[in-house]
Amino acid sequence: MPILPLITVSSTDEEGVSYREMLSSLVDKVQTSTNSLASTVSQASSEEMSPYLRQIGSSVRRLSMPLGKVRQSSQRRLSQMVSAIGEVIDQEILMTQPGEKSTPLFGSSLLNREWELVTVSEMCRRLSLDQELELPIPDGANTSQILDELMIRQVMDILPPRAEGYPWVNIYNSEKHGFSLATMYRKMAEFDEDLSPVLLIIRDTKEHVFGAVVSSAIRPSDHFFGTGDSCLLWRFTGEVPHTRELRQYNWTGDNQYFVNAAKDCLSIGAGSGRYGLWFDADLNHGRSQKCETFDNEPLCGDNEDFIIQFVEAYGFRM
């Protein structure tokens, strides 16, 4: 993420104050656009991006789109607009400091580069490394009472890029805190990392291990929430102790029914009356069906219904 340098303008007259306010406004716009650019990856058409580009107009505003919905060409167009604002600032500096030797602030800056969040595996692929880097298991991950080391490493690979490598924080544990959805919500409310995704891990009475990744702490809401870049379902095939292969089910783009945290139940993924993952207020009975949000298989094997044996929820200390 590029960090804009601090700009200081020394002036005591009204013209200097006006210039400083204008410069501050332009820098704020550049910073906002750069932050937005850092959260884009390649998969949408220019036609999908055009409504947002029209909305930008002559100034740059923050884009709000799910990751995976912007293609490289659209990134370049936005990057060019950000660089154009940087050039305007350079011109203003040169014009207001005649006769002084001034170095363009943005002409060779990081704003001329294109940014995106990528996983460690993708980074290794792009650098053509012969062997992928093996990250150490993050602090706190070994506290899981469901996942062993091999399973943890596989789960690490499906976490959103912004959570990779950060310590795992156990927010909720059914053995420690009791089987209650209300208690889970209360523990989530106490978690203070607003930017952290949350990892749900479930083991049923038939030893199936599965769960979900959601984009933020799960708190009661009257409507669905979440984003497609960091919401997914997953399951390990097989049964303990032979539970080894992890399968993940990412957002299809068909709807935005990510997380519905009602007081009497929790559902993740939905469509046509079917839920990707659902369980009741007592964290006792659950159901997993193929849903439009993730196009997933039932997470608990051949049967759609399951009885929960153990639940864990982890956040990430960012």
Side-chain angles (χ1 to χ4, degrees):
M1 180 74 68
I3 300 176
L4 294 179
L6 178 64
I7 299 176
T8 304
V9 179
S10 299
S11 178
T12 58
D13 57 18
E14 293 181 0
E15 181 181 354
V17 172
S18 176
Y19 168 71
R20 184 163 57 249
E21 292 175 349
M22 177 206 67
L23 196 57
S24 176
S25 175
L26 287 173
V27 169
D28 287 342
K29 290 179 180 179
V30 173
Q31 182 69 73
T32 300
S33 303
T34 305
N35 290 342
S36 178
L37 181 63
S39 46
T40 58
V41 291
S42 55
Q43 285 182 12
S45 65
S46 298
E47 290 77 17
E48 290 175 297
M49 192 63 185
S50 60
Y52 294 90
L53 293 174
R54 285 197 301 269
Q55 196 176 40
I56 289 173
S58 59
S59 62
V60 179
R61 299 173 185 167
R62 185 176 181 84
L63 299 181
S64 178
M65 293 184 68
L67 295 182
K69 278 292 182 183
V70 182
R71 196 165 55 186
Q72 198 74 17
S73 60
S74 299
Q75 285 189 33
R76 282 193 289 271
R77 294 175 69 181
L78 181 56
S79 180
Q80 291 167 1
M81 297 181 73
V82 173
S83 298
I85 290 182
E87 293 173 5
V88 171
I89 295 176
D90 286 340
Q91 292 174 7
E92 291 291 335
I93 292 175
L94 294 174
M95 291 175 62
T96 55
Q97 298 178 0
E100 298 184 18
K101 185 177 180 181
S102 302
T103 301
L105 197 59
F106 292 92
S108 59
S109 74
L110 296 174
L111 288 177
N112 290 327
R113 302 189 58 183
E114 296 173 1
W115 296 88
E116 61 181 338
L117 298 177
V118 298
T119 63
V120 173
S121 297
E122 175 64 10
M123 178 188 71
C124 293
R125 186 190 69 79
R126 295 185 184 186
L127 295 176
S128 300
L129 298 181
D130 294 334
Q131 185 175 3
E132 287 194 2
L133 299 174
E134 185 176 82
L135 292 175
I137 291 180
D139 291 343
N142 282 323
T143 62
S144 173
Q145 296 179 259
I146 299 177
L147 305 179
D148 59 27
E149 182 175 336
L150 181 58
M151 297 165 76
I152 289 172
R153 289 199 175 279
Q154 292 183 74
V155 169
M156 288 167 57
D157 289 338
I158 67 170
L159 294 176
R162 71 175 187 267
E164 281 195 349
Y166 287 98
W168 292 26
V169 179
N170 185 233
I171 302 174
Y172 171 80
N173 179 305
S174 58
E175 185 175 83
K176 178 180 179 181
H177 302 116
F179 288 85
S180 168
L181 187 58
T183 301
M184 179 190 286
Y185 289 158
R186 180 169 55 81
K187 302 302 292 185
M188 291 282 180
E190 296 171 0
F191 185 55
D192 59 359
E193 290 285 356
D194 293 334
L195 297 179
S196 170
V198 167
L199 170 68
L200 278 180
I201 309 169
I202 301 167
R203 185 172 67 206
D204 68 11
T205 54
K206 294 185 178 179
E207 303 296 332
H208 299 116
V209 177
F210 51 91
V213 176
V214 298
S215 54
S216 62
I218 303 172
R219 293 160 185 164
S221 176
D222 295 331
H223 52 78
F224 282 91
F225 62 90
T227 58
D229 64 287
S230 51
C231 284
L232 59 91
L233 299 177
W234 58 269
R235 74 182 184 105
F236 282 100
T237 59
E239 299 178 2
V240 175
H242 307 294
T243 307
R244 285 295 179 267
E245 182 187 348
L246 185 145
R247 295 182 185 176
Q248 67 183 90
Y249 307 94
N250 297 315
W251 180 40
T252 63
D254 289 345
N255 62 41
Q256 297 188 32
Y257 299 150
F258 298 116
V259 184
N260 184 18
K263 292 183 178 180
D264 58 347
C265 66
L266 171 65
S267 64
I268 302 172
S272 301
R274 302 174 67 83
Y275 299 99
L277 180 60
W278 175 96
F279 36 80
D280 62 15
D282 296 324
L283 297 184
N284 182 22
H285 291 92
R287 176 170 295 176
S288 178
Q289 303 164 302
K290 183 175 181 177
C291 72
E292 296 171 4
T293 312
F294 301 110
D295 191 29
N296 57 288
E297 305 169 277
L299 304 180
C300 51
D302 297 332
N303 297 321
E304 294 182 346
D305 296 309
F306 60 88
I307 303 297
I308 297 174
Q309 183 182 72
F310 204 85
V311 185
E312 295 177 325
Y314 282 88
F316 302 89
R317 184 63 65 193
M318 309 183 76

